Amino acid sequence: PRQDTIALKHGAHRIGNRTDADMARWRSLRFGQFIHWGLYAIPAGEWNGKTYNGAAEWIRSWKEMPHEAYDQLYKQFNPVNFNPQQWAAQAKAMGAKYMIITTKHHDGFCLWPSKYSKYTIAASPWKKDLLGPMIDAYNKAGIDVHLYFSIIDWNHPDYRASLKNAADSAAGKRFQVFVKNQLAELLQRYPTVKGFWFDGTWDDSWKNDGAFSDELEQYLQSLHPGLVMGSRLRADEKGARHFDSNGRLMGDYEQGWERKLPATIADVHGNDWEAVMTVPENQWGYHAKWMGHVKTVNEILEMLVKSVSLNGNFVLNFGPKADGTYRTEEQQLAAGIGEWMKVNGVAVYDGAYAGFEKQDWGYYIRKAGTDSVYMVVFNIPVSGSLRVKLPARTALTGVTMLQGNTALTPEWVGRNEYFIHLQNRQTASPVVILLKTEKGE
Ligand code: JFZ
């Protein structure tokens, strides 16, 4: 193993991926649903007849919208059509195995009745807890729940982006106590949660106190052993984020893949990782007017499959409306993904990097720890023939297309190379082919 050159107290505390059962479970789920839901769903990207071109959940920071106006929105938050069972059923039908919910975004509004803040769902016309029923419904549907929590809090009087004087430092200390209290409260109220998804950790006040985020991570682990927390939480004592000053990953998985994916297995350095993706270019919360390109079912499936083929998890974001319903585009997308997953999801769950030479037709995924490798074909070549190059001393013993459970006869080309002929097969969605292979001498 490589020698670390810099002595760190608050750097990585583990080399290599976690090997415990809680982490193995998270890793096996592979497909998650992100939900951004909060007060920003009310303006929905519009204020005074003008459209905000930025991300809807950031509208409070738009110069056109006065903070005072935004900070009164909680008086209108009343999701009368909120049906957590329906939300969970939709996620389950899509094939998601875990869900991440914004308990509190940068605006500071809490979806649970926190006793440490007045700016919560309890103060809204809805009055009742939203998180509890949501977590219950998802858990009942067999879906794990993780909690998104923003460190940036635009509503809290003690939040500072940077600490410039003694008064700021005192506020910063009070804010740290507040954060610790809220997180402990969440774990105590919702003991089935599997992890935290931290965000808003890029300000100097946070980056420059690596000792605190390190202590916080250990505190949360002590309250709730097994919790999964990504690399976005911590900084080391030199202010390095995600990777410490020796280049080692902090936290349980690499959490920097935001609206982008690694290109090759070399890009993930052997670490667990997760990508989060928006449906339009960059909207997390509900925006009434999606602008620009909106991703299709096949595009999302390709991102999911590519992620799993590179040992990662993939999380697709939804931004429900203020009344608790989903826009039609998201409903249709979820249904379309689910239709494919019903037949082909077996290639995704518990999937891993296969170790086969990548071909242009798509991606290989290995069912972790087995000899089963799936080909997920996105590009059928003009010839109709898919090249399969097995590793040395490996024989191909079976080829089955999942759709229709059709056995295919491969053509042996030479050495460990084969062709699988799809001829001029037409397909509207990715084709999955299960390869059975055997290691020889
Ligand atoms: C953050 C939030 O500001 C945003 O509203 C949303 O919640 C998203 C999931 O997270 O945005 C980020 C965070 C990190 C990066 C980019 C946008 N990043 O690491 O490139």
Side-chain angles (χ1 to χ4, degrees), residues 197-229:
W197 204 98
F198 286 103
D199 192 21
T201 50
W202 50 77
D203 281 339
D204 283 345
S205 55
W206 190 263
K207 275 193 319 200
N208 294 342
D209 195 350
F212 179 71
S213 56
D214 190 8
E215 186 215 304
L216 182 65
E217 187 184 64
Q218 291 178 36
Y219 171 65
L220 297 172
Q221 275 293 354
S222 76
L223 292 180
H224 197 105
L227 220 47
V228 173
M229 292 177 279

Side-chain angles (χ1 to χ4, degrees), residues 80-284:
V80 290
N81 296 316
F82 173 56
N83 183 335
Q85 286 76 28
Q86 223 168 61
W87 285 32
Q90 176 186 257
K92 187 183 179 159
M94 178 174 80
K97 298 284 188 190
Y98 68 106
M99 183 272 260
I100 309 168
I101 175 71
T102 48
T103 62
K104 178 175 96 165
H105 204 262
H106 307 333
D107 62 7
F109 183 73
C110 304
L111 290 190
W112 81 103
S114 174
K115 62 181 172 200
Y116 301 102
S117 169
K118 290 195 177 12
Y119 196 50
T120 81
I121 191 70
S124 75
W126 182 256
K127 290 196 177 74
K128 307 171 287 278
D129 184 19
L130 280 175
L131 277 190
M134 212 186 294
I135 293 169
D136 283 350
Y138 273 81
N139 285 168
K140 283 208 180 86
I143 299 174
D144 284 355
V145 176
H146 292 244
L147 304 181
Y148 168 107
F149 185 94
S150 169
I151 296 301
I152 288 176
D153 188 325
W154 294 329
N155 184 262
H156 199 284
D158 289 330
Y159 184 74
R160 304 282 185 281
S162 63
L163 308 178
K164 300 195 177 69
N165 51 49
D168 284 351
S169 298
K173 286 284 168 229
R174 290 193 298 273
F175 186 76
Q176 289 180 346
V177 173
F178 168 65
V179 164
K180 255 178 103 163
N181 283 339
Q182 282 207 318
L183 292 170
E185 182 185 41
L186 284 168
L187 289 177
Q188 188 257 323
R189 289 181 62 102
Y190 313 111
T192 66
V193 302
K194 303 291 187 190
F196 281 111
W197 204 98
F198 286 103
D199 192 21
T201 50
W202 50 77
D203 281 339
D204 283 345
S205 55
W206 190 263
K207 275 193 319 200
N208 294 342
D209 195 350
F212 179 71
S213 56
D214 190 8
E215 186 215 304
L216 182 65
E217 187 184 64
Q218 291 178 36
Y219 171 65
L220 297 172
Q221 275 293 354
S222 76
L223 292 180
H224 197 105
L227 220 47
V228 173
M229 292 177 279
S231 62
R232 214 179 273 205
L233 172 61
R234 284 177 55 197
D236 73 8
E237 58 262 57
K238 295 180 181 300
R241 298 178 61 231
H242 296 279
F243 293 89
D244 71 16
S245 299
N246 290 311
R248 297 205 184 276
L249 184 71
M250 294 180 285
D252 300 325
Y253 63 90
E254 193 188 346
Q255 202 188 344
W257 298 102
E258 193 260 337
R259 292 184 299 120
K260 60 178 191 248
L261 299 181
T264 69
I265 194 73
D267 295 333
V268 302
H269 308 287
N271 293 315
D272 281 319
W273 63 275
E274 173 195 80
V276 293
M277 191 59 63
T278 49
V279 176
E281 230 354 71
N282 184 25
Q283 294 291 341
W284 298 89

Side-chain angles (χ1 to χ4, degrees), residues 40 43 45 47 52-71 73 105-107 152 154 202:
Y40 37 80
W47 181 249
Y52 177 51
N53 288 309
E57 73 283 1
W58 276 82
I59 195 168
R60 188 185 184 275
S61 64
W62 184 28
K63 58 177 182 345
E64 299 273 345
M65 181 161 195
H67 290 173
E68 299 70 38
Y70 189 94
D71 295 344
L73 290 174
H105 204 262
H106 307 333
D107 62 7
I152 288 176
W154 294 329
W202 50 77

